């Protein structure tokens, strides 16, 4: 059951169309070899800077040889002219399909300075009548006083955490939920940091004894609920109590976890990581290593973690010349994948976008838009089948970033949509409450060494890959997912 070609029973017709045809992977490898001459050209993002450098080199060589070797110079000029035409065509197609604006965020960010509204300006930002502005100010003051009176015990700790815990300070700043000029007034009045004392059922109790309904699900980690997740965590603690932090040697539970993962997701190999972001990095590295190309294609609005190699704009100070952001559900994007297959190492998809979620990344300011429903999911399924067929025909590995793990079903997006990726990234709820990540895929893409070139190694390792406490909790979570008890739970989610 470890085969990447599917389960023992015959796949449905929909699955056959979304999967590589017999012999398809052989053609994929041949295509990869045929394009290797133009691979690993640095700076092959939106504007294909690598091609510009190559074109400049040809023309410089032509000019240098003009006096001594006029025939060679003429040939180079002709070749340069033909290549210029090809570059112009590719650039036209790229600008049709790619999202260009995020490329400039890092540059613009160096010149835009902070400017926060004062309280006087805050309530009058839209030039309202003075009596309206006064009512607004009084309303926020009442809310601020009520807020502080309600959580007196947390006030001092909140201030301490904001000063010394940079992660929490950043998330509490409102960076993702409000325009920057409004943040200072709001953050001074309303501190969103919750200091948790305990949890029970679906409730969170803070240090002041106030109870809250947890609607966040711990960023997706708490998919199974607090009660069941505590059981998973306890299983991890029991294993850790037996072996301690024994790293390097692995416990048999690791093999059990691998066996269950391969059976659920129908892949050949697994690698473990400590977060979804790290797992995404590993999957992209593996694709680059085996295709010998350097461009990662992602779709607009998809979030793939904090790695700047796939971050789509605002917040990314790096000019990601090796990340191509394509318009989602757009025919021009599929066309571009075909034309630039020799540049692209992988296509990275976040299948949760099938629920109609837009602007999930930081490439735009403002609130996300959701157009959910059965019609949205069916439309996305057709689109995903087209992406799969395009990747198969061009030899580009398709990666599903399912860091949310089981939110789309016990076997994830490939079961829900009937589309199999080449590489699959898991995280969050997979760890049963612990930090974890995993990459699943076929042996041809998971191998870390080039069998023919001993100096080519993809060095992806990690100290805590077989951490007993994580493996124990993961084992409990996977056993639940594969149990009869879980079926009605997942059916209820649908």
């Amino acid at each position: 059951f470890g085969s990447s070609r599917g389960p023992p029973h015959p796949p449905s017709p929909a699955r056959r169309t979304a999967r590589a045809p017999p012999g398809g992977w052989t053609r994929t490898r041949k295509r990869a070899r045929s394009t290797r001459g133009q691979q690993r050209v640095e700076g092959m993002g939106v504007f294909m800077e690598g091609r510009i450098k190559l074109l400049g080199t040809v023309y410089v060589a032509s000019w240098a040889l003009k006096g001594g070797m006029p025939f060679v110079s003429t040939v180079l000029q002709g070749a340069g002219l033909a290549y210029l035409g090809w570059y112009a065509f590719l650039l036209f197609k790229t600008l049709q399909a790619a999202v260009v604006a995020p490329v400039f965020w890092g540059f613009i960010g160096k010149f835009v300075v902070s400017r926060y509204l004062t309280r006087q300006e805050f309530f009058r930002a839209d030039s309202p009548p003075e009596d309206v502005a006064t009512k607004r100010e009084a309303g926020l003051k009442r809310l601020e006083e009520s807020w502080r009176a309600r959580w007196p015990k947390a006030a001092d700790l909140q201030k301490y955490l904001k000063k010394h815990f940079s992660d929490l300070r950043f998330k509490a700043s409102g960076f993702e939920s409000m325009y920057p000029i409004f943040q200072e007034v709001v953050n001074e009045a309303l501190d969103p940091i919750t200091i948790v004392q305990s949890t029970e059922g679906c409730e969170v109790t803070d240090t002041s004894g106030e109870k809250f309904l947890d609607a966040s699900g711990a960023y997706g980690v708490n998919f199974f609920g607090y009660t069941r997740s505590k059981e998973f965590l306890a299983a991890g603690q029991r294993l850790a109590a037996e072996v301690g932090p024994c790293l390097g040697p692995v416990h048999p539970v690791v093999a059990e976890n691998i066996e269950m993962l391969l059976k659920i997701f129908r892949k050949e190999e697994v690698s473990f990581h400590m977060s979804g972001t790290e797992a995404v990095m590993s999957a992209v590295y593996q694709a680059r290593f085996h295709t010998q190309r350097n461009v990662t294609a992602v779709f607009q609005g998809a979030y793939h973690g904090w790695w700047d190699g796939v971050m789509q704009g605002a917040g990314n100070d790096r000019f990601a010349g090796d990340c191509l952001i394509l318009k989602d559900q757009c025919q021009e994007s599929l066309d571009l994948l075909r034309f630039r297959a020799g540049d692209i190492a992988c296509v990275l998809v976040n299948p949760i976008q099938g629920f109609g979620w837009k602007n999930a990344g930081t490439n735009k300011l403002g609130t996300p838009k959701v157009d959910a429903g059965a019609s949205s999911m069916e439309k996305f399924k057709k689109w995903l089948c087209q992406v799969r067929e395009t990747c198969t025909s061009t030899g580009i590995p398709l990666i599903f970033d399912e860091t949310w793990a089981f939110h789309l079903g016990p076997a994830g997006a490939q079961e829900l949509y009937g589309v199999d990726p080449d590489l699959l990234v898991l995280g969050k709820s997979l760890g049963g409450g612990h930090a974890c990540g995993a990459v699943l895929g076929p042996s041809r893409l998971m191998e870390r060494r080039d069998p023919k070139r001993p100096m080519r190694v993809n060095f992806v390792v990690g100290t805590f890959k077989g951490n007993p406490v994580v493996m124990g909790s993961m084992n409990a979570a996977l056993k639940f997912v594969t149990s009869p008890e879980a079926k009605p739970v997942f059916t209820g989610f649908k």
Side-chain angles (χ1 to χ4, degrees):
F1 53 71
S3 172
S4 64
R5 293 190 180 274
H9 55 79
S12 65
R15 299 188 78 85
R16 281 197 294 270
T17 60
R19 213 179 272 158
W25 302 134
T26 303
R27 289 197 294 274
T28 294
R29 288 192 291 271
K30 288 180 179 177
R31 177 61 179 262
R33 284 195 294 269
S34 68
T35 56
R36 197 161 290 172
Q38 55 182 327
Q39 292 161 1
R40 280 295 182 191
V41 181
E42 297 301 324
M44 297 298 280
V46 173
F47 299 109
M48 299 172 286
E49 297 83 353
R51 296 185 189 277
I52 296 176
K53 292 178 182 178
L54 180 59
L55 190 62
T57 301
V58 170
Y59 275 108
V60 168
S62 173
W63 175 81
L65 296 172
K66 190 173 183 179
M69 304 177 68
F71 176 75
V72 175
S73 175
T74 302
V75 171
L76 286 176
Q77 286 182 8
L81 188 62
Y83 194 78
L84 177 62
W86 175 241
Y87 170 80
F89 173 77
L90 288 180
L91 181 61
F92 173 72
K93 288 294 185 180
T94 300
L95 295 177
Q96 273 189 322
V99 182
V100 180
V103 172
F104 301 101
W105 274 107
F107 176 77
I108 295 173
K110 296 176 181 178
F111 298 96
V112 177
V113 296
S114 297
R115 165 72 167 90
Y116 298 110
L117 298 179
T118 64
R119 289 184 73 93
Q120 177 74 11
E121 296 169 328
F122 182 88
F123 301 103
R124 296 163 179 81
D126 56 345
S127 303
E130 186 58 28
D131 63 322
V132 173
T134 303
K135 289 179 180 178
R136 290 174 176 176
E137 190 165 4
L140 183 61
K141 185 174 180 60
R142 288 195 304 272
L143 183 60
E144 179 180 358
E145 292 173 350
S146 171
W147 194 294
R148 290 178 179 174
R150 189 176 180 184
W151 299 293
K153 293 183 179 180
D156 292 339
L157 190 52
Q158 285 172 338
K159 291 179 181 178
Y160 179 85
L161 289 171
K162 270 193 170 183
K163 182 177 180 180
H164 298 288
F165 190 11
S166 59
D167 306 272
L168 199 60
R169 182 174 66 247
F170 176 70
K171 290 298 292 184
S173 70
F175 175 80
E176 298 170 305
S177 58
M178 75 178 93
Y179 287 99
I181 58 173
F182 297 104
Q183 290 174 9
E184 188 169 271
V185 172
V186 173
N187 291 335
E188 286 179 357
L190 308 172
D191 193 329
I193 299 174
T194 302
I195 312 299
V196 178
Q197 189 69 48
S198 63
T199 64
E200 184 175 356
C202 56
E203 288 185 336
V204 173
T205 303
D206 75 352
T207 51
S208 299
E210 295 282 349
K211 294 184 182 295
F212 303 86
L213 177 66
D214 183 10
S216 70
Y219 302 105
V221 173
N222 193 25
F223 171 71
F224 300 105
Y226 284 113
T227 302
R228 188 169 279 119
S229 292
K230 288 177 182 179
E231 296 172 1
F232 299 160
L233 290 168
Q237 287 301 123
R238 288 193 295 271
L239 180 60
E242 293 179 10
V243 298
C246 184
L247 304 170
V250 295
H251 191 273
V253 77
V254 176
E256 283 186 34
N257 291 345
I258 292 173
E259 185 177 8
M260 285 188 281
L261 285 169
L262 297 183
K263 184 175 181 179
I264 294 170
F265 296 104
R266 302 181 305 278
K267 294 292 183 271
E268 294 175 340
E269 295 188 17
V270 178
S271 67
F272 291 116
H273 306 276
M274 288 307 298
S275 72
T277 292
E278 183 182 313
V280 168
M281 295 170 69
S282 173
V284 172
Y285 289 172
Q286 287 297 110
R288 287 178 175 175
F289 179 73
H290 287 283
T291 62
Q292 298 188 56
R293 310 168 203 160
N294 75 316
V295 175
T296 304
V298 299
F299 291 102
Q300 184 180 18
Y303 180 69
H304 299 289
W306 55 261
W307 176 36
D308 62 358
V310 291
M311 184 71 76
Q312 293 195 16
N316 187 359
D317 198 42
R318 166 190 170 188
F319 178 79
D322 52 7
C323 182
L324 192 62
I325 305 169
L326 302 177
K327 296 173 183 176
D328 192 29
Q329 301 186 45
C330 176
Q331 180 59 43
E332 284 78 7
S333 295
L334 298 179
D335 294 338
L336 186 64
L337 290 176
R338 295 187 184 96
F339 284 120
R340 293 188 59 181
D343 302 334
I344 299 172
C346 60
V347 174
L348 189 58
V349 175
N350 189 335
I352 208 165
Q353 285 191 277
F355 280 76
W357 189 272
K358 300 297 181 184
N359 190 26
T362 58
N363 57 317
K364 289 184 179 179
L365 295 174
T367 56
K369 297 179 180 179
V370 179
D371 181 22
S375 60
S376 174
M377 294 175 64
E378 185 60 31
K379 181 181 178 183
F380 188 78
K381 177 179 179 179
K382 293 179 181 178
W383 162 252
L384 212 52
C385 287
Q386 291 177 310
V387 174
R388 171 69 277 178
E389 290 167 1
T390 301
C391 288
T392 300
S393 64
T394 56
I396 302 174
L398 174 62
I399 303 174
F400 278 5
D401 177 8
E402 289 200 72
T403 299
W404 290 73
F406 304 109
H407 285 64
L408 299 184
Q414 62 183 28
E415 177 186 56
L416 180 65
Y417 296 115
V419 178
D420 284 359
D422 298 305
L423 291 170
L424 175 66
V425 174
L426 300 173
K428 294 189 184 289
S429 56
L430 174 65
H434 280 292
C436 81
V439 178
L440 289 78
S443 299
R444 64 184 178 85
L445 291 176
M446 297 294 286
E447 176 59 51
R448 307 290 172 83
R449 299 177 301 172
D450 187 328
K452 296 182 179 179
R453 297 173 179 82
M455 294 183 66
R456 290 195 69 242
V457 178
N458 191 34
F459 199 76
V460 179
V461 295
T463 301
F464 290 94
K465 287 183 179 293
N467 190 2
V469 70
V470 177
M471 291 293 110
S473 297
M474 182 188 297
N475 187 260
L478 290 173
K479 284 181 177 177
F480 170 75
V481 169
T482 56
S483 70
E485 181 187 359
K487 291 183 179 179
V489 176
F490 283 107
T491 301
F493 286 138
K494 287 185 180 180

